[in-house]
Amino acid sequence: MGKQNFKPGNMLYPLPAVLVSVADRQGNSNLLTIAWAGTICSDPPMVSISVRPERYSYHMIEETGEFVINLTTEDLCFATDYCGVKSGRDVDKWREMKLTRIPGEVVGVPMVKESPVNLECRVTEKKELGSHHMYLAKIVAVHVDDAYMDEKGKFNLNDAKPLVYSHGRYLSTGKELGFFGYSVKKK
């Protein structure tokens, strides 16, 4: 089996496809789809998102220093794509996709009610990297949908059928193949 040599580029896939909600100080809000999002620290809990400065939502993050990461699912696939290709300059994505705004509890940015997990975030640092600016942010609140809680109080995100993005395609997560530590678990 041979290997093809590609020019350097982003081939770290799959990625979570998330809806990021933002708002400005006047209360105008928007949604944008981001696949360049990730966990960067567990204590304190922190994430990063990368946004092109020409995006309509960019000025809102700059203005407030806040955003909400809303995880997506198979059921939200169409809305996830739509919010990534349509600009908030031209259309109200909340209305067009029939998504429900619910107020953040800590930040002044609405959350997507239909999302199984909402992470309220406050920017701690911005890095201007080139085509994208990366925001490092502290997670200041987490909300999970009761529909995915079991009788023991465990949250079962996999039941929500999370959405991922891989090389231009949206995919549903597959079957469970193992769990953290299963390779060394004593039998």
Side-chain angles (χ1 to χ4, degrees):
M1 179 167 103
K3 293 275 190 178
Q4 294 289 319
N5 188 358
F6 276 35
K7 69 177 183 167
N10 294 311
M11 290 289 281
L12 182 62
Y13 291 112
L15 303 163
V18 298
L19 286 172
V20 174
S21 46
V22 296
D24 62 20
R25 289 193 183 115
Q26 290 72 44
N28 302 306
S29 65
N30 192 43
L31 293 164
L32 72 154
T33 300
I34 293 183
W36 292 5
T39 298
I40 57 172
C41 190
S42 58
D43 187 16
M46 294 183 72
V47 292
S48 69
I49 62 169
S50 293
V51 182
R52 288 181 179 267
E54 60 269 15
R55 294 290 295 260
Y56 176 69
S57 297
Y58 180 84
H59 85 275
M60 295 183 184
I61 299 170
E62 285 290 298
E63 212 175 277
T64 65
E66 298 177 337
F67 58 88
V68 176
I69 294 177
N70 304 279
L71 299 191
T72 59
T73 63
E74 283 183 18
D75 290 342
L76 290 170
C77 188
F78 188 86
T80 301
D81 184 63
Y82 184 90
C83 291
V85 297
K86 289 291 192 174
S87 173
R89 287 181 186 95
D90 306 321
V91 64
D92 180 345
K93 298 176 199 179
W94 294 94
R95 186 181 67 242
E96 292 299 316
M97 292 296 99
K98 297 176 177 53
L99 295 171
T100 311
R101 291 176 182 97
I102 55 175
E105 289 184 10
V106 178
V107 300
V109 174
M111 302 182 293
V112 177
K113 180 180 181 182
E114 293 79 7
S115 171
V117 178
N118 316 92
L119 307 173
E120 294 186 56
C121 303
R122 270 210 186 104
V123 173
T124 60
E125 188 177 344
K126 177 177 86 171
K127 295 193 172 284
E128 297 183 11
L129 302 173
S131 63
H132 289 71
H133 293 179
M134 181 174 62
Y135 293 98
L136 307 180
K138 192 174 203 178
I139 299 169
V140 295
V142 176
H143 307 272
V144 299
D145 191 325
D146 290 336
Y148 304 105
M149 298 295 292
D150 67 19
E151 62 282 348
K152 295 180 182 175
K154 181 181 179 206
F155 180 65
N156 296 293
L157 177 60
N158 291 333
D159 293 347
K161 299 179 182 167
L163 193 64
V164 295
Y165 179 82
S166 183
H167 207 69
R169 303 282 189 244
Y170 300 101
L171 307 168
S172 179
T173 54
K175 65 181 179 181
E176 183 178 320
L177 301 176
F179 57 87
F180 182 75
Y182 85 101
S183 64
V184 297
K185 184 178 179 188
K186 293 184 182 187
K187 297 185 177 170

